[in-house]
């Protein structure tokens, strides 16, 4: 019987199995790097399988460059799974370009991608917003006959959606023989990010009809679509579905509901959702603070901010945008300054463009134009069109032609294709009777071929969104609407309404007059709303541009005559009209 060898573990070289288990138990690169070095000194230093495992361990611990080196330099013919893991690792860490480049490196090594490779590299193309790379990957998918794989097809839809190629996404979607929840999510999410919210909602309905289960991701996307569209009744219906199916309301879903109700003009329902959240984290607090902020209820937004901080939650930059926009819409300059300073001094948060935008708007509306301009000049970040545009709007409110001329140059430098700025400057000139200035802006628009985006307003009645363009006659009830508006205007005049002519006096051509008065698309929506809802119902109207002076005045009268609360969301803020007054106190 042979005698057992004595065990001398310290001097004995590690066995292969031993190294594998050591690799598996590495919990940080601090252990992994020396182990890697040690392995290179053993007889297994060139072992293909072991090197693959080392690379995999690096990927697991999120240290990608050594994995990539092993993959591209050390191992001969690395297996496809290692390529896949590295491509996935880079994509998940937001290093999209590296991930895509590895995909190409893989091809040049003669390794054929598989379904997994595609599902890992496509999100990288989406993250990099590179439709060029995405198309190349899509070509490979077709060439290798992988298009019928539901995960691959879903990743393609998601990629095209995020790259702004929604019609290409739709093509892939339509060709799929079978679609799951994730597929619908990709398509719906794509429509939302591309601003085609009505299509997002119709796809959601299609999803329901085909009996495919919606999940939290679906519902969050659909709520975003409702928020953008101002589709309050649809949003409420989705909320009902959530309750009925007992879907767990996590913080993201809670915040999406709060945001939807606020954007749709029902801050009371926003509050109810927030109040009932069992656990309120930063996202939910920020959603409710921003909700009250965008409605101009600055005091409430502030008191919520104080309560949030009191409960031990630290605000972030987004929370500050919420409170500052509240102060801005509420015209509370001193409070605004206080919080603007608090951001950096107490929370070390550097103000970004949105914070500056709020401050400029706030100072400008309060008539402190010089202070606003001074603040823009000291900005740590390059001011964008939003900041300059806010200042230009303030120049309009306070009829400051001289500063307007300075500011319009800046805003047109950063955003030359936006007709809104030319029209705003025309208004400033017109209000001061400077008709040559009006003509100059007009000419510039013509020369640069910028067209004014059409103004439209919409209102939801019985779950249907009705949209109206300026001077629209396409609605089936147009005749009734115009007749009602005429009748309404007569009653308004009796109450003292005078057409706001300050910006349409003088020798302006008819087209410009219409531009300046924005065509009153919101009046059509309001009239239709009064005609087709019950007495006392609140009207909620969405408008794509800022509401004009004349429509603002008219809506105040209408709210009084028709005894309706009218909530208008324009491009900038919410106006709550009630009994002849507006919550913006006529500054917007
Ligand atoms: Zn108008
Ligand atoms: Zn208002």
């Amino acid at each position: 019987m042979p005698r057992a060898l004595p065990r001398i573990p310290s001097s004995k070289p590690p066995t292969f199995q031993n190294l594998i288990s050591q690799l598996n138990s590495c919990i940080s690169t601090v252990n992994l790097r020396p182990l890697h070095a040690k392995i290179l000194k053993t007889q297994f230093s060139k072992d293909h399988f072991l090197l693959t495992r080392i690379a995999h361990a690096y990927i697991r611990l999120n240290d990608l460059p050594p994995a990539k080196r092993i993959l591209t330099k050390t191992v001969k013919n690395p297996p496809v799974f290692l390529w896949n893991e590295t491509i996935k690792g880079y994509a998940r860490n937001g290093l999209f370009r590296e991930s895509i480049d590895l995909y190409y490196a893989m091809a040049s090594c003669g390794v054929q991608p598989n379904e997994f490779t595609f599902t890992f590299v496509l999100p990288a193309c989406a993250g990099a917003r590179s439709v060029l790379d995405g198309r190349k990957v899509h070509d490979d998918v077709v060439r290798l006959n992988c298009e019928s794989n539901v995960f691959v097809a879903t990743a393609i839809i998601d990629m095209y959606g995020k790259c702004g190629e929604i019609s290409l996404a739709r093509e892939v979607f339509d060709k799929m023989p079978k679609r799951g929840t994730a597929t619908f999510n990709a398509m719906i999410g794509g429509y939302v990010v591309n601003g085609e919210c009505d299509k997002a909602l119709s796809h959601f309905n299609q999803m329901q009809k085909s009996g495919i289960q919606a999940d939290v991701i679906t519902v969050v996307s659909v709520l975003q679509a409702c928020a953008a569209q101002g589709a309050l009744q649809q949003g409420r219906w989705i909320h009902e579905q959530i309750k009925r199916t007992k879907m767990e309301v996590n913080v993201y879903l809670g915040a999406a509901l709060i945001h939807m109700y606020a954007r749709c003009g029902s801050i009371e329902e926003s509050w109810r959702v927030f109040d009932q959240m069992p656990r309120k984290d930063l996202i939910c607090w920020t959603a409710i603070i921003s909700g009250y902020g965008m409605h101009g209820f600055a005091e409430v937004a502030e008191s919520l901010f104080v309560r949030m901080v009191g409960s031990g939650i630290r605000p972030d930059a987004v929370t500050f945008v919420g409170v500052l926009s509240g102060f801005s819409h509420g015209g509370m300059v001193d409070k605004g300054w206080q919080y603007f300073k608090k951001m950096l001094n107490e929370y070390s948060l550097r103000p970004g463009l949105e914070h500056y935008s709020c401050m400029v708007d706030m100072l400008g509306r309060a008539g402190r134009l010089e202070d606003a301009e001074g603040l823009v000049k000291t900005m740590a970040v390059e001011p964008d069109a939003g900041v300059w545009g806010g200042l230009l709007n303030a120049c309009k409110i306070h009829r400051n032609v001289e500063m307007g001329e300075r500011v319009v140059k800046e805003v047109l430098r950063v955003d030359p294709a936006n007709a809104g700025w030319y029209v705003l400057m025309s208004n400033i000139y017109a209000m001061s009777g400077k008709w040559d200035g009006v003509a100059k802006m007009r000419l510039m628009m013509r020369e640069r071929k910028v067209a004014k985006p059409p103004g439209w307003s919409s209102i939801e009645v019985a779950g249907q969104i009705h949209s109206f363009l300026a001077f629209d006659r396409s609605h089936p009830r147009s005749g009734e609407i115009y007749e009602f508006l005429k009748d309404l205007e007569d009653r308004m005049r009796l109450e003292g309404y005078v057409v706001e002519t300050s910006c349409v006096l003088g020798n302006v051509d008819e087209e410009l007059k219409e531009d300046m008065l924005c065509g009153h698309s919101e009046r059509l929506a309001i009239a239709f709303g009064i005609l087709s809802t019950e007495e006392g119902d609140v009207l909620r109207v969405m408008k794509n541009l800022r509401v004009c002076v004349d429509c603002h005045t008219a809506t105040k009268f209408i709210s009084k005559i028709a005894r309706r609360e009218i909530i208008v969301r324009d491009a900038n803020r919410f106006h709550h009209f009630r009994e002849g007054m507006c919550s913006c106190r006529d500054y917007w």
Side-chain angles (χ1 to χ4, degrees):
M1 197 177 166
R3 243 177 59 200
L5 287 166
R7 291 183 62 193
I8 321 165
S10 54
S11 61
K12 201 176 129 191
T15 65
F16 191 78
Q17 213 40 54
N18 193 274
L19 289 172
I20 294 279
S21 74
Q22 280 188 51
L23 271 175
N24 288 343
S25 59
C26 273
I27 49 160
S28 96
T29 47
V30 178
N31 321 118
L32 180 58
R33 280 169 191 266
L35 179 61
H36 183 192
K38 185 169 123 191
I39 291 171
L40 292 182
K41 288 187 200 127
T42 68
Q43 74 214 76
F44 308 116
S45 68
K46 296 218 161 45
D47 186 274
H48 182 96
F49 182 75
L50 196 58
L51 286 168
T52 309
R53 296 302 288 255
I54 296 168
H56 198 224
Y58 275 116
I59 297 164
R60 179 166 56 82
L61 299 170
N62 257 338
D63 190 1
L64 298 165
K68 186 176 159 189
R69 268 197 301 281
I70 296 172
L71 183 67
T72 53
K73 300 218 168 78
T74 324
V75 191
K76 274 208 183 72
N77 306 322
V80 71
F81 104 87
L82 190 58
W83 285 102
N84 288 351
E85 288 298 310
T86 319
I87 288 169
K88 177 169 84 176
Y90 274 110
R92 293 222 167 140
N93 281 281
L95 300 164
F96 304 125
R97 196 65 251 168
E98 283 83 349
S99 174
I100 299 166
D101 287 345
L102 264 182
Y103 175 80
Y104 293 132
M106 176 180 176
S108 63
C109 289
V111 183
Q112 203 166 75
N114 62 18
E115 278 114 337
F116 294 105
T117 327
F118 295 135
T119 57
F120 299 148
V121 73
L122 283 162
C125 301
R129 303 283 181 270
S130 172
V131 74
L132 244 109
D133 293 300
R135 268 174 189 276
K136 282 185 198 154
V137 177
H138 187 185
D139 287 345
D140 291 345
V141 169
V142 173
R143 190 168 49 79
L144 295 172
N145 242 334
C146 290
E147 222 183 358
S148 58
N149 179 302
V150 64
F151 299 104
V152 175
T154 299
I156 295 173
I157 293 170
D158 184 64
M159 178 276 294
Y160 280 134
K162 288 190 175 132
C163 291
E165 296 285 349
I166 195 69
S167 53
L168 293 176
R170 181 64 190 270
E171 265 174 45
V172 178
F173 181 87
D174 285 343
K175 270 195 272 175
M176 283 174 78
K178 245 183 88 183
R179 306 179 188 104
T181 303
T183 320
F184 271 97
N185 287 352
M187 200 62 229
I188 292 170
Y191 278 125
V192 172
V193 296
N194 285 281
E196 297 189 31
C197 292
D198 47 340
K199 288 194 179 138
L201 292 172
S202 69
H203 264 71
F204 177 64
N205 291 335
Q206 192 193 329
M207 181 181 185
Q208 303 280 96
K209 276 188 204 128
S210 32
I212 291 162
Q213 191 76 41
D215 63 9
V216 173
I217 299 172
T218 329
V219 177
V220 168
S221 283
V222 176
L223 288 171
Q224 282 173 343
C226 293
Q229 285 250 301
L232 178 61
Q233 286 155 33
Q234 298 219 38
R236 277 185 190 141
W237 180 76
I238 289 156
H239 192 184
E240 280 305 313
Q241 303 270 95
I242 294 169
K243 288 185 200 157
R244 203 173 48 76
T245 56
K246 298 197 169 63
M247 188 182 275
E248 191 209 344
V249 180
N250 64 16
V251 288
Y252 295 103
L253 185 47
L257 280 166
I258 295 167
H259 178 72
M260 179 276 293
Y261 280 125
R263 285 280 287 161
C264 289
S266 179
I267 191 71
E268 301 83 8
E269 282 164 283
S270 249
W271 171 257
R272 242 174 281 152
V273 174
F274 175 78
D275 199 34
Q276 284 166 11
M277 293 283 298
R279 202 172 62 83
K280 299 169 175 58
D281 76 339
L282 177 65
I283 305 174
C284 296
W285 278 105
T286 300
I288 192 72
I289 290 169
S290 307
Y292 279 104
M294 70 175 88
H295 280 268
F297 299 124
E299 288 91 350
V300 186
E302 191 198 4
S303 73
L304 285 167
F305 183 92
V306 173
R307 266 178 64 187
M308 180 190 91
V309 173
S311 72
I313 293 171
R314 232 183 123 76
D316 68 2
V318 187
T319 326
F320 273 99
V321 173
V323 262
L324 287 177
S325 80
F327 293 136
S328 159
H329 297 321
M332 295 162 72
V333 182
D334 295 336
K335 277 281 179 192
W337 266 125
Q338 187 193 326
Y339 274 77
F340 187 69
K341 286 185 189 134
K342 196 197 266 275
M343 244 183 108
L344 191 62
N345 297 345
E346 282 180 39
Y347 296 99
S348 310
L349 294 166
R350 286 194 180 285
L353 286 169
E354 285 184 277
H355 308 102
Y356 281 111
S357 248
C358 289
M359 291 308 297
V360 167
D361 205 56
M362 196 184 304
L363 291 165
R365 291 195 320 119
R368 291 167 59 177
L369 292 177
E370 273 73 29
D371 290 344
E373 197 183 24
L375 182 68
V376 177
K377 285 185 180 148
T378 61
M379 273 173 65
V381 276
E382 176 75 16
D384 67 350
V387 174
W388 286 120
L391 190 53
L392 191 61
N393 190 54
C395 292
K396 190 194 110 190
I397 296 175
H398 299 286
R399 305 188 176 200
N400 189 327
V401 178
E402 195 196 328
M403 188 183 287
E405 286 182 325
R406 274 203 301 280
V407 174
V408 77
K409 270 190 202 131
E410 299 295 337
V411 72
L412 290 179
R413 189 171 51 78
V414 287
D415 189 19
N418 187 333
W421 311 131
Y422 299 85
V423 174
L424 198 50
M425 191 64 218
S426 297
N427 281 335
I428 298 173
Y429 281 129
M431 286 166 137
S432 313
K434 295 195 183 300
W435 306 112
D436 50 335
V438 175
K440 190 175 79 186
M441 295 320 288
R442 201 79 194 154
L443 186 66
M444 265 168 91
M445 280 178 83
R446 222 168 277 150
E447 279 174 358
R448 298 184 187 178
K449 295 192 168 57
V450 285
K452 190 173 170 285
W456 55 260
S457 298
S458 67
I459 185 166
E460 190 190 36
V461 171
Q464 282 284 326
I465 306 273
H466 298 256
S467 296
F468 298 87
L469 286 166
F471 305 104
D472 202 338
R473 289 198 172 264
S474 65
H475 195 275
R477 292 178 68 181
S478 265
E480 227 182 311
I481 292 170
Y482 279 95
E483 212 167 291
F484 181 66
L485 271 176
K486 202 174 166 311
D487 182 45
L488 206 53
E489 203 172 307
D490 292 341
R491 285 161 68 190
M492 280 155 60
R493 281 184 207 280
L494 287 177
E495 292 273 337
Y497 165 74
V498 190
V499 181
E500 177 59 58
T501 49
S502 65
C503 54
V504 282
L505 279 174
N507 50 352
V508 188
D509 55 44
E510 279 308 309
E511 194 192 344
L512 181 59
K513 268 188 199 173
E514 284 186 6
D515 271 2
M516 286 174 156
L517 282 179
C518 86
H520 315 303
S521 61
E522 57 265 60
R523 287 194 209 187
L524 300 175
I526 291 169
F528 173 67
I530 296 174
L531 287 172
S532 43
T533 56
E534 301 286 320
E535 211 164 294
D537 280 0
V538 178
L539 301 181
R540 293 182 175 83
V541 174
M542 309 291 144
K543 180 168 171 60
N544 67 329
L545 307 174
R546 284 183 195 230
V547 55
C548 84
V549 180
D550 189 49
C551 284
H552 195 267
T553 311
T555 311
K556 287 199 287 187
F557 277 98
I558 296 172
S559 75
K560 192 174 166 199
I561 293 168
R563 288 195 297 278
R564 292 289 190 112
E565 184 178 349
I566 303 169
I567 300 174
V568 177
R569 182 180 100 192
D570 75 0
N572 192 39
R573 60 166 296 144
F574 277 90
H575 300 264
H576 289 242
F577 296 93
R578 194 184 289 161
E579 287 165 30
M581 311 257 272
C582 180
S583 61
C584 75
R585 288 168 234 163
D586 299 342
Y587 277 99
W588 73 92

